[in-house]
Structures are given as structure tokens and as C-alpha cells.
């Protein structure tokens, strides 16, 4: 195990170093963002599932490497191919680490959506497609990957995937890919009709999924849908075309990936307030890191469509929170989860993230100025 | 060119036919592969022979080749009849077909031979249809006697499919060309270039039909199954006859693809590379669809995976058919990867000790019992399918980037291949308990699996240096394209 | 802001003074509640509506956490429920802010938020169970947070909002507490005149406990109501105005009549009076209070209030049922269903496994054969011929 952990950490830094060396000035921030996101997965892997086997470790490194490579590509075709590779390997990870299921229902396997994803990626290569169709395929691919876990939501034992490292990897690859695509390869057709209406369409989709989640009586399955929605939320914030919201999307991406890992996967223990706080924080309730990101990403906009989209997102989050209040907090159970340094670090980060709002009066201007100068070449 | 040298291909065909007939008698599995190789070899020789002959502006050798063609067929048929007699004597106790079927079979054979010798296109097609339909019926009846109802139903259905397809072909021939003789087709080519193109298409179709009848890969399934399913010696004989008929069709009609006839001093334009490439494109397009489909619905997992190995080759063939030099480097890389994949699959099979008759149900749960071997197999098959991040995905992307309506075929290929991979992966990790596979893998074996996987994945990730190397190699071998 | 900035400090000071006084009176300290108080104070001093919402949300979180920590294991769900309810109350204003509404549209959204946060009837207040003995927090957090949201609004039609608050006072007067009614009139008064509104805020220290200082509160409420009633001339006909304000006055009086007076320590009451006087004096010192001229509508309101109040005081002991508040909804009406956090039992889906149906097997067997090739070639040939021609 120790050898695998050492290899894992070394490989992460090695891959990051390679990417940094190859990256140009404009791509270096993306490498750093990707590193921040994925290192969180390694650091907060409380159950040590990634170094549990060489297969998991190797696949994780490959997915991380492909994701970084996709951010270094100069053409959309190569970007999408690398993303498709990361998607495929991530789905293999899902299948490998999920609990056994009956296999009934072909589309309940995560492999089927990964194939569809690659089909959409390849369809973009067809030269006789118009720009609208190409962007439609790209949009379809991003949404498909965002809702990858929705396909398997009715699978047996799938709720155990909630808060797993596979879910975090999916969120990481999807988030970074959608952010990079929005910043670098987004075609002009995305800002014209009919695609300009995705600024309302995506939140509507999120609201529909949130409403769907109310029909699930397990909080873990609802949380899977919440994580899928979070990916769409990050994409939406990036695609609105406003710089501060884009920065908020970047922060939301990192926060989302970290939070999935920081949440203890075992059932909530009502007597352990810290654990319960972390669990509730995973849903973005007020007083959490995710809530700060929600506030930053939903600040008022000049665009009517973005304003309407913000409203829909807020209602979506309320729908998720409304479901939270119904769950019974179990009495103290026999096996209490051990509180480790990872949990302490997670708690500190969550509280610090929540505290960002306390300085909300001053931070946005400071953050915008600092990030704006360093990101000016991108935006 | 020395005239005697022109006889060499013709003689080799003669011997090839003998050898073929000999192999048709054998019932061993291993001989099948050898038979296919031999068939391909002699087919190529026959085509070369015809091509060479028709280039020579001498009617003497044209007539001579025709005579030799006839002699070859008579001799081969004699050999087969002889082998049938031998089988009948050996397996006398197993003759359980009704006399009516026996007569029908013999009548069909003779009728077919006569019709083929009459050199008429339409009759040739009808003869083929009749032969195959009768064979289906015979095999089905034979299987019925052996109480194998599945084969009976399957055989009848197969016959139905084949019959309909053949009828379509015949109707096309009749409508387009009427009652044309095979030799006269060349004259049609000369006089009417408009009809020539359509005729060329029909020729190609009949050519492939002949290959199917003959049992050339990947069309070998039916004949092989028929042979295995039936213990009746006549079935062996019939399949041998099919081989000869198909061989003859391919050899005779295949000439027209490459011919530059100068009969009577009349020259025609050679068929352009564009037409050949188009034919190749159609062939590879069909393969792109059928290879994953056949693998998907195959019952035995080993056969399914082995069959699926053809996928990267079909993709390469498709890319080649566009004739673009930019794709050559990718094709070479793809072939290199495909050969690597074959090695990985062989390794995985050896690790898993995969039984021949293992079905897909035996595969269930294998991923949880042995990760190294199953993952090696899965990723190798994924690479063969052309999934990202493997090298095949790059070739697919480049191929799709060509502005052509044929682009639908690689997409369909990926859809079927992808679903094949998805099925394998899903079954590998689902709840189940695979008992028949060997699951103890040593560290050394795991190391080899990992090494091969790493190489395979790096071939996909670091494809640019590979492409540059491939393009450089091609320039080195073939010069500037 | 449409009034002098120095007035901004008075509400914050008044609220903090309340907290200071009650801190002395409490037997134990609550750190999270103190933090919540600081955040709410910050909200009173902020001019940006977005920041106010965020600060209030954080304050609600701290109070919710405190409720969670102090409740029993079986009742911790209520803390989560409370947290959701508080967040839901801020939703209308957040929506208005996001949609960049302005004018009466935004003020309407803020008013809806205030209604959800302020009143403990007909749905029990989201912080009703905190602190056990000390019921102050739900009262003050509701009032102060409502004022924080209200005080930065720009009123182009203050008379309209006077009518709105009077109507709400009548509606919620059926079951709400006197402090909530007082706050209702404060908000309406603020819309008419910020200085007078701040004057009502100065009496916040007197709302801490229902001692004899309640009469001062009642008097100020009556005066506030009368001032609000005077501004209805533009919206209602005179006869309707008199009828309406009479009913509102009666409703207000009922609330005060039904409030039982409790005994408190003298020094606590003295402190409350001291701070109230201090802020009123500061207000007088720094600002000139407008002297309203009474009108018939205002006088009608005051008369109605005084009459019903006095009558109520006489009749309350004999007929308490006339003056008791209407019952509201049960506390857990909207959260009856509790879902267990155990795992779902396995649920099998529809079988789409390939190769099971005999018919499917036959079809695939046939497809596996070479028959398909003939069909395909035939079709290909047709396409080629068509293309050739």
C-alpha cells in the first residue's frame, strides 16, 4: 500500500511537471487548476481507494494525464479525443470499483454513455456538418458526461458510488473539460440563437433533475444527482461569457471536486457534529464552501437570460435542500467513523470557504483584479 | 514475356484445385485455416494469370487459357466426385437421407455445372441460387435426422436470406443486361461505357458472392458449420463443389476487374484506380459494419474476440480506400497497433486458459476474479474497436474528416464496436461467478500485462511521434506517394 | 440611501444594546448566537441588498447550528428543518435581486421575505425552539433582519406600502405576537418617514420582555398606526378608509390585550428603558422629527385601538376566548414524512439481456450467416446502378 501511495503521489507530480514544461503561458493556469482539482482527490481519499490496487492507481494517473493533455491541445479535435479517452477510462474505473450488479439493463452500465460520448465527439469531425450541429454535438457530449451517473442511478448498489473517488474523477474531468472548452474552443454560434438560450435551458434541465431527485428515497442517490447538477452548474457559469462568473466557475469546479471527496461516505452520525456538518456542507447549504461558490456564481448579471438562469439555479438548489430536511438522522451507531487528519483538513477548508462570504463585501473586487490580470490573456 | 512462363499460373491453379479437393475431404479444424490460406493464394494466382493472358495480344493464348479453364474444372470435379464415392464407401452405414433428396442433390449439381459452362450471367446466378438452396435443404434434413432442431431452423432461415439476396441480384442482372454471356461482357465494356460501369458493379457483386460461396474469410462461417453439423459425406462433397464453383466464379469474373483485353485488336480504357478504390471502399464499408455485428452476436466468446481482431484491419482498409497520402502514416500505425493487439489477446487467452467453447455467460464476473488478464483483454479489444485514447481513434477521426458520404460507416462501426466493448466490460464486472477460467496470475504475468497495456496506451497518447515515424517509413519504402 | 447616514447606526446600536442587556441576564453564554448577532448587526449597516442576504443567511446558519447542538438526538431534524425554512424565507429577495428587479417589484420581493421571516403565525417561527427559556432570539432576529432588508429600499410610493403593511397587520393580527405587530408598523412608518421609522427602532429594547413597558410599546404602535392610516387617502375612499383602519386598530388592540404581562427584574427593565431613552435622545439630538398633523383617519385608528384595548382589558378575564389568537398550523405539518437513511433494497430493472428470446436467437443466427451478404450486395448493386445512371 505504501509503495502504491508513494507511486501515486510521485506520478501526480511527475505528470504535472511534464504538463507544466510543455504548457505555454496561456495554458499554464489550466494545468494548475487541474492539479488543484485532482490533488484534492488524492489528499482527501479517506478510504484510500485509489492506492488500494495498482489498477486504480494507474487508471487514475492516466485519466489525470489525459485531462491535462486535453488542456494542452491546440485543436478541438485533439481536445475532444483526449477527453473521450479520459471518459472511457473513468467509466472502466466505475465498472471496476462498483459493487456487483445484475447486469440487467444495457444503458445502466456507464460504458454505454461513454460510447455515446465518443460518437458525439467523432460526429464533430464530420466536415459537412454546420457549426450549429457541431456545437450541438459538443453540448450533448458535455451534458452526457455530466449526467453519466444518471444512467446508472437505478442500478443495484449504485448508491455506494455516491461520494466515491470515481464520482470525484468524473466531476474533475467533466469540469475541467467544460471550463477549458468554454474558454478556448467555444464557437461563436454559442452566443447566438438558438444556443444562447442554453443560459436558461441548462438551469431548466438542472431543475428537472432536481425534481427527479425528489422521487428517490435515498440521500446517496440524490447526492449523485446533485453532483451531476453541479457539473452542469459549473459549465453554465463558464458559458455565460462574464469574467467574474467564469472565475467563480473555476472556484466552484475545485470546490465541487474536493467536497465530493471530503464527505464521509458512511451514514451520518448525529452525535458527531463535525461529521454531520461536513455531510450537510456537501449539499451546499449556507455555511459551506459550496454555498460560497453558489453565491459568487449567481451574482446579478446584465443579461436577462443569465438572470433568469440564476433564478432557476437558485430554485434548483432549494429543491435539493428541501429534500435534505426530510431525512432522519440515525442515532449513534456501533461503528463510528474515525476522525483523521483528512477530516480535520476538510473541516478547516469548509469553514474557511464558508468564511469567504464574510468578506464578500471586499473579496469580489480583489479577486477580480488579481485573477483578471493573470487571466487577461485567456479572456 | 516467355509464353511458357505464362503457363505457370495456370498449372499452379490446377494443382491448387487438387489440393483444395483434398482438403475438402478432411474434417480437422486445423485444416480449415490452411485451406483458407491456400484458397487465397491460388485465387491471387488465378487473377494474375488471367491478367497476364489478357495483356498478350494473341488470340492463341486467349483460347488456350479458356481450354485450360475448362480442363481445370473438369478435373477438379472429377476429383470431388471421386472423393464423394470414397466417403460413401466409408460411411455407408450413415446414409440416412431419403432417395428423393439424393436425386435432387445430384440433379442440382449437374444442372449447375451445365449452366456455368453455358457462360450466361443470368443462368449462372440462378444456378448458384439453386445450388445453395438445395444445400440448405439437404443440410437441414440431415440435421433433422440427427435431432438438431436449431440447425434446422437456422439452416432454413439462412437459406431464405440467401435466396432473397440472390434473387435481387438476378433481377438486377436481368433488368440491366438481359441475357448476356460472360465473354460478351467484355464487348459490352468496349461499346457501352455507360453500361460498363453498372456491369462492373454487378461483376464485383458476383465476385463477392463467389467468395462467399467458396467460404473465403470472413464468409467462412456457414460452410464450416455445415460441415461440422453434418456427418453425411455428401455434405462434404457439396461444400467442396461450392468451393470449386466459387473459385471459378472468382477467377473468371475477377479477370474483368483487371483486364485490358485486346480481343480483335480492340483496346479499351483500363478500369481506373478510382473505380477500384471505390470498390474497396464499399467492401471495407461492409466489413466495418459486419465485423462488429458478427462479433456482437457470436455465441462463443473466443470466436467472437478473434473475429473482432479484423476490426482494425477493416478500419485501415477503409482509410486506404480514399487514396490519400496523408492517411498512410496513420494506417501504418494502425496496423502496427493491431499486430500488438493480437499479441495482447493471445497473452490474455493464455493467462485465462480460455476454452474454445466458452460462451459469453462464462465470461460473467471474470473482471472481479482476475483483474490483470481481464483488463488486458478488455483494453486490447477497446483498442481494436478504435476507442479513445488508443491509436485507432485517431485514424477514425482522420477518416471522418474526409468529406464523403461514406463517413457514416466508421460511425456505425464505432457504435457497434463500442457496444461490443461495453457488453464485454459490463459482463466482466457484473454479479456472477465465472468458474471455467484460469484465474491465478503470477507477478511476472501481471508485469507483462502491464507492460503491454502501457505500450498500447502510450501508442495512443503519444501518437504524433508514431505518425511521424510511420510517414517517414512509408516515404522510405515507397518513395513520395 | 435617502436619509442621513448617521441614522444607520441607531438600529445597529439599538439591537446590540438589546443583546448586551440580555447577555447580562443570561445564565450562560452562547457563542454561535453572539456570532449571529454580529452578522445581523453587519447587515443593518450594509447598503447592498446582496450582502444583506448573505449576512442574514450566515446568521441563520449559526442559529440553526446552535439549535442543532442544543436539541436532543431525536429532535435534531427540526434544526435541519429550521435551516431550510430560513433559507426559503430569503429566496424571494434573492430572486428579485438576481432578476435585477427595481422599484415596487423588488420591494414586493423583499416584503414577501419579511413576511416569511417576521411572523410566527400561522406557521411557527423557524427559530421558535431555540434557547429554551429565552424566546428573545426568534423575536429579535425576525424583527431586526426584516428591518435590515427594508431600510435600504427606495420608496417611490410610500403610501402604497403603508396600505400594504396595514393590511398585513390586520391579517397577521389574528395570531401573531405584539412584537411582530410593532415591527409591522415600524416598517410601514419607515416607508413614510425614515426618521419616524428610526424612532420606532429606538424602542427595540422595550420589546425584550412583556413587562409594563408594553404599554409604551402599545402607545407607540397606536401612534404609528394612526400615521399610516393618514396616508391612505390616495388609495381608498374615505368611508372605506375609516372602516378599514378601525378594523386594523381593533386587531392591533386584540394582540396587546392577549399578551400577558410578566414580571421581570427591575434592573433589566431599567436597562431597557435607559437604552430606549438613549437612542430616542440621540435621534432627537441629531435629527428633527417631523410633527405629523392628525387627520380623521389617524384619529379613527387611535380611537379604535384605545377603545378595543380598554374594553379588552375589562373583558379579558371573563371572556378570554374573544381575544385569544387563532391557532396556526401544527409545527411539523410540512415535515411529517421522515425518510430513513438506510439503503434501498435492490430493485431489479427490466431485462434487456441479449440472446434470451428463442425468436431473437433465430434471427441472430440467420444474420450470422452469409445470407445477409447477398441481400446487402443486392442493395449495394442497386445503389451503384442508380448512381451510375
Amino acid at each position: 500500500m505504501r509503495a502504491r501511495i508513494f507511486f501515486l503521489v510521485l506520478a501526480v507530480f511527475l505528470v504535472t511537471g511534464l504538463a507544466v514544461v510543455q504548457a505555454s503561458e496561456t495554458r499554464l493556469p489550466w494545468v494548475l487548476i487541474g492539479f488543484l482539482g485532482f490533488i484534492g482527490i488524492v489528499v482527501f481519499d479517506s478510504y484510500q481507494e485509489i492506492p488500494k490496487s495498482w489498477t486504480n492507481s494507474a487508471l487514475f494517473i492516466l485519466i489525470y494525464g489525459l485531462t491535462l493533455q486535453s488542456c494542452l491541445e491546440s485543436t478541438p479535435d485533439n481536445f475532444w479525443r483526449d477527453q473521450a479517452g479520459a471518459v472511457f477510462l473513468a467509466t472502466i474505473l466505475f465498472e471496476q470499483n462498483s459493487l456487483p450488479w445484475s447486469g440487467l439493463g444495457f444503458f445502466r452500465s456507464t460504458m454505454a454513455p461513454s460510447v455515446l460520448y465518443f460518437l458525439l465527439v467523432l460526429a464533430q469531425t464530420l466536415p459537412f456538418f454546420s457549426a450549429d450541429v457541431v456545437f450541438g454535438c459538443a453540448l450533448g457530449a458535455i451534458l452526457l458526461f455530466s449526467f453519466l451517473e444518471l444512467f446508472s442511478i437505478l442500478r443495484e448498489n449504485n448508491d455506494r458510488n455516491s461520494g466515491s473517488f470515481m464520482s470525484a474523477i468524473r466531476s474533475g474531468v467533466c469540469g475541467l473539460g467544460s471550463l477549458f472548452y468554454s474558454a478556448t474552443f467555444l464557437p461563436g454560434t454559442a452566443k447566438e440563437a438558438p444556443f444562447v438560450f442554453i443560459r436558461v435551458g441548462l438551469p431548466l434541465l438542472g431543475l428537472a433533475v432536481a425534481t427527479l431527485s425528489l422521487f428517490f428515497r435515498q440521500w446517496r442517490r440524490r447526492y449523485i444527482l446533485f453532483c451531476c447538477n453541479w457539473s452542469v452548474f459549473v459549465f453554465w457559469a463558464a458559458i455565460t461569457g462574464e469574467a467574474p462568473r467564469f472565475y467563480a466557475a473555476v472556484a466552484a469546479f475545485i470546490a465541487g471536486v474536493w467536497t465530493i471527496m471530503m464527505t464521509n461516505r458512511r451514514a451520518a452520525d448525529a452525535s458527531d457534529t463535525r461529521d454531520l456538518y461536513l455531510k450537510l456542507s456537501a449539499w451546499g447549504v449556507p455555511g459551506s464552501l459550496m454555498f460560497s461558490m453558489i453565491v459568487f456564481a449567481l451574482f446579478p448579471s446584465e443579461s436577462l437570460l443569465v438572470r433568469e438562469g440564476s433564478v432557476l439555479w437558485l430554485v434548483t438548489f432549494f429543491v435539493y435542500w428541501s429534500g435534505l430536511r426530510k431525512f432522519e438522522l440515525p442515532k449513534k451507531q456501533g461503528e463510528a467513523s474515525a476522525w483523521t487528519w483528512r477530516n480535520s483538513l476538510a473541516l478547516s477548508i469548509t469553514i474557511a470557504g464558508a468564511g469567504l462570504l464574510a468578506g464578500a463585501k471586499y473579496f469580489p473586487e480583489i479577486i477580480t483584479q488579481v485573477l483578471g490580470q493573470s487571466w487577461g490573456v485567456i479572456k | 514475356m516467355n509464353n511458357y512462363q505464362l503457363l505457370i499460373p495456370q498449372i499452379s491453379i490446377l494443382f491448387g484445385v487438387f489440393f483444395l479437393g483434398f482438403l475438402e475431404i478432411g474434417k480437422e479444424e486445423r485444416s480449415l485455416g490452411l485451406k483458407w490460406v491456400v484458397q487465397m493464394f491460388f485465387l491471387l494466382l488465378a487473377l494474375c494469370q488471367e491478367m497476364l493472358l489478357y495483356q498478350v495480344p494473341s488470340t492463341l493464348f486467349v483460347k488456350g487459357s479458356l481450354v485450360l479453364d475448362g480442363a481445370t474444372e473438369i478435373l477438379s470435379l472429377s476429383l470431388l466426385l471421386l472423393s464423394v464415392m470414397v466417403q460413401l464407401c466409408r460411411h455407408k452405414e450413415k446414409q440416412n437421407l431419403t432417395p428423393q433428396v439424393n436425386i435432387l442433390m445430384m440433379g442440382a449439381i449437374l444442372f449447375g455445372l451445365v449452366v456455368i459452362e453455358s457462360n450466361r450471367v443470368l443462368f449462372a446466378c440462378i444456378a448458384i441460387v439453386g445450388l445453395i438452396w438445395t444445400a440448405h435443404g439437404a443440410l437441414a434434413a440431415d440435421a433433422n435426422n440427427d435431432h438438431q432442431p436449431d440447425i434446422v431452423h437456422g439452416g432454413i432461415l439462412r437459406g431464405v436470406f440467401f435466396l432473397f439476396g440472390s434473387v435481387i441480384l438476378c433481377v438486377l442482372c436481368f433488368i440491366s443486361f438481359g441475357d448476356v454471356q460472360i465473354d460478351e461482357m467484355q464487348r459490352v465494356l468496349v461499346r457501352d461505357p455507360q453500361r460498363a460501369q453498372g456491369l462492373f458493379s454487378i461483376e464485383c457483386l458476383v465476385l463477392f458472392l463467389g467468395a462467399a460461396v467458396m467460404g473465403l474469410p470472413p464468409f467462412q462461417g456457414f460452410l464450416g458449420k455445415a460441415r461440422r453439423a453434418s456427418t453425411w459425406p455428401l455434405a462434404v462433397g457439396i461444400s467442396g463443389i461450392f468451393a470449386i464453383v466459387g473459385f471459378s466464379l472468382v477467377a473468371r469474373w475477377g479477370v474483368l476487374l483487371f483486364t485490358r483485353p485486346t480481343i480483335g485488336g480492340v483496346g479499351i480504357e483500363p478500369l481506373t484506380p478510382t473505380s477500384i478504390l471505390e470498390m474497396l471502399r464499399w467492401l471495407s464499408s461492409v466489413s466495418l459494419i459486419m465485423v462488429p455485428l458478427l462479433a456482437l452476436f457470436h455465441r462463443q466468446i473466443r470466436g467472437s474476440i478473434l473475429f473482432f481482431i479484423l476490426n482494425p484491419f477493416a478500419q485501415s482498409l477503409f482509410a486506404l480506400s480514399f487514396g490519400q497520402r496523408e492517411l498512410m502514416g496513420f494506417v501504418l500505425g494502425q496496423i502496427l497497433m493491431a499486430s500488438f493487439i493480437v499479441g495482447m489477446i493471445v497473452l490474455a487467452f493464455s493467462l485465462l486458459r480460455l476454452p474454445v467453447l466458452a460462451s459469453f455467460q462464462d465470461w460473467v464476473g471474470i473482471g472481479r476474479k482476475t483483474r490483470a488478464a481481464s483488463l488486458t483483454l478488455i483494453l486490447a479489444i477497446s483498442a481494436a474497436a478504435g476507442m479513445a485514447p488508443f491509436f485507432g481513434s485517431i485514424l477514425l477521426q482522420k477518416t471522418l474528416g474526409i468529406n464523403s458520404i461514406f463517413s457514416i460507416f466508421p460511425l456505425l462501426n464505432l457504435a457497434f464496436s463500442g457496444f461490443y466493448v461495453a457488453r464485454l466490460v459490463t459482463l466482466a464486472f457484473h454479479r456472477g461467478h465465472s468458474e471455467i477460467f484460469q484465474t491465478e496470475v503470477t507477478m511476472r504475468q501481471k508485469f507483462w500485462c502491464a507492460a503491454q497495456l502501457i505500450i498500447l496506451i502510450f501508442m495512443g497518447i503519444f501518437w504524433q511521434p508514431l505518425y511521424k515515424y510511420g510517414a517517414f517509413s512509408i516515404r522510405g519504402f515507397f518513395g513520395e506517394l | 440611501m435617502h436619509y442621513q447616514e448617521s441614522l444607520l447606526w441607531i438600529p445597529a446600536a439599538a439591537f446590540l444594546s438589546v443583546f448586551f442587556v440580555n447577555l447580562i441576564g443570561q445564565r450562560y453564554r452562547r457563542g454561535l448566537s453572539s456570532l449571529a448577532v454580529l452578522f445581523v448587526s453587519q447587515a443593518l449597516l450594509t447598503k447592498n441588498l446582496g450582502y444583506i442576504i448573505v449576512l442574514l443567511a450566515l446568521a441563520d446558519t449559526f442559529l440553526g447550528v446552535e439549535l442543532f447542538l442544543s436539541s436532543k438526538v431525536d429532535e435534531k431534524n427540526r434544526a435541519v428543518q429550521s435551516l431550510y425554512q430560513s433559507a426559503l424565507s430569503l429566496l424571494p429577495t434573492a430572486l428579485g435581486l438576481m432578476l435585477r428587479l427595481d422599484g415596487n417589484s423588488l420591494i414586493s420581493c423583499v416584503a414577501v421575505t419579511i413576511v416569511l421571516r417576521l411572523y410566527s403565525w400561522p406557521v411557527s417561527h423557524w427559530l421558535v425552539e431555540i434557547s429554551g427559556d429565552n424566546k428573545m432570539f426568534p423575536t429579535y432576529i425576525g424583527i431586526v433582519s426584516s428591518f435590515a432588508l427594508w431600510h435600504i429600499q427606495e420608496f417611490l410610493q410610500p403610501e402604497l406600502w403603508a396600505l400594504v403593511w396595514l393590511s398585513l397587520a390586520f391579517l397577521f393580527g389574528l395570531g401573531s405576537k405584539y412584537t411582530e405587530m410593532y415591527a409591522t408598523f415600524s416598517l410601514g412608518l419607515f416607508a413614510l418617514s425614515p426618521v419616524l421609522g428610526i424612532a420606532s427602532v429606538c424602542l427595540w429594547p422595550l420589546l425584550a420582555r412583556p413587562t409594563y413597558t408594553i404599554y409604551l410599546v402599545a402607545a407607540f404602535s397606536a401612534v404609528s398606526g394612526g400615521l399610516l392610516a393618514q396616508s391612505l387617502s390616495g388609495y381608498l375612499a374615505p368611508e372605506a378608509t375609516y372602516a378599514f383602519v378601525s378594523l386594523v386598530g381593533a386587531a392591533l388592540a386584540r394582540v396587546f390585550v392577549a399578551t400577558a404581562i410578566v414580571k421581570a427584574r427591575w434592573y433589566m427593565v431599567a436597562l431597557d428603558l435607559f437604552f430606549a431613552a438613549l437612542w430616542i435622545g440621540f435621534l432627537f439630538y441629531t435629527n428633527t422629527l417631523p410633527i405629523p398633523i392628525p387627520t380623521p383617519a389617524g384619529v379613527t385608528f387611535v380611537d379604535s385601538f384605545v377603545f378595543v384595548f380598554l374594553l379588552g382589558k375589562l373583558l379579558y378575564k371573563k371572556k378570554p376566548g374573544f381575544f385569544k389568537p387563532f391557532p396556526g398550523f401544527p409545527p411539523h405539518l410540512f415535515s411529517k414524512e421522515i425518510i430513513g437513511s438506510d439503503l434501498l433494497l435492490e430493485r431489479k430493472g427490466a431485462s434487456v439481456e441479449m440472446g434470451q428470446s428463442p425468436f431473437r436467437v433465430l434471427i441472430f443466427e440467420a444474420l450470422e450467416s452469409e445470407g445477409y451478404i447477398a441481400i446487402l450486395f443486392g442493395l449495394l448493386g442497386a445503389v451503384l446502378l442508380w448512381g451510375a445512371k
Side-chain angles (χ1 to χ4, degrees), chain A residues 7 43 61 112 238 255 319 349:
Chain A
F7 158 76
V43 168
I61 295 298
V319 169
I349 289 171

Side-chain angles (χ1 to χ4, degrees), chain B residues 153 157-158 161-162 165 168 172 176 194 198 201 205 208 219 221-222 278 282 286 290 294 297-299 423 431, chain C residues 346 353-354 361-362 364-378 380-382 384-385 388:
Chain B
H153 294 302
L157 273 173
R158 277 194 286 271
F161 275 103
F162 214 112
I168 292 170
L172 284 171
S176 301
Q194 197 70 14
S201 311
L205 294 173
F208 296 131
F219 312 131
F222 163 62
E278 191 177 342
W282 277 109
V286 168
M290 298 320 304
L294 289 178
F297 298 120
H298 205 290
R299 278 195 160 173
R423 188 184 182 208
R431 190 194 308 131
Chain C
E346 286 191 1
E353 202 175 43
M354 291 187 254
V361 168
L362 285 175
F364 291 152
E365 282 266 315
L367 283 176
E368 249 184 306
S369 71
E370 292 79 25
Y372 71 84
I373 297 176
I375 295 174
L376 201 60
F377 287 157
L380 287 174
L384 281 171
L385 284 172

Side-chain angles (χ1 to χ4, degrees), chain B residues 187-384:
Chain B
R187 293 196 179 81
V188 172
L189 281 170
V190 173
R191 288 174 195 160
D192 191 349
Q194 197 70 14
R195 288 182 75 194
Q197 199 167 353
L199 193 64
F200 164 68
S201 311
I202 296 293
E203 288 160 11
C204 294
L205 294 173
V206 176
L207 178 70
F208 296 131
L209 193 63
V213 169
M214 202 164 72
L216 281 177
F219 312 131
Q220 76 283 5
F222 163 62
L223 287 175
K225 279 186 187 173
R227 211 187 339 272
R228 280 191 295 276
S230 174
T231 56
W232 191 43
L234 191 56
V236 178
I238 289 170
S239 66
I241 291 168
F242 286 162
I244 298 301
V245 168
F247 198 92
S248 175
L249 277 173
V250 168
R252 184 184 293 272
W253 290 43
V255 160
L256 298 170
L257 290 173
F258 301 99
T259 188
R260 286 192 179 86
T262 55
I263 298 170
V266 178
I268 63 167
E269 286 295 320
L271 292 173
T272 61
T274 309
S275 306
I276 295 169
L277 285 177
E278 191 177 342
M279 182 201 71
L280 199 64
R281 205 172 304 145
W282 277 109
L283 172 66
S284 55
S285 301
V286 168
S287 305
L288 282 178
I289 295 177
M290 298 320 304
V291 166
L293 269 183
L294 289 178
L296 200 57
F297 298 120
H298 205 290
R299 278 195 160 173
Q300 277 82 39
I301 188 164
R302 181 173 165 142
S304 169
I305 291 171
L306 286 173
F307 195 81
F308 194 70
I309 294 174
L310 290 172
N311 196 57
F313 293 105
Q315 290 172 348
S316 304
L317 198 64
F318 183 80
L320 272 175
S321 71
F322 286 98
Q324 292 187 3
R325 64 183 69 184
E326 294 83 16
L327 289 177
M328 292 300 287
F330 293 107
V331 169
L332 189 69
Q334 173 86 335
I335 293 170
L336 187 66
M337 186 198 70
S339 56
F340 201 77
I341 287 170
V342 170
M344 283 179 67
I345 289 176
V346 167
L347 172 67
F349 278 3
S350 68
L351 289 176
L352 293 170
R353 310 265 177 92
L354 205 67
V356 173
L357 294 178
S359 71
F360 272 93
Q361 290 308 312
D362 297 317
W363 177 255
V364 166
I366 190 69
R368 296 188 192 276
K369 290 189 75 178
T370 165
R371 289 190 180 214
S374 58
L375 208 57
T376 304
L377 198 53
I378 285 167
L379 290 180
I381 292 167
S382 308

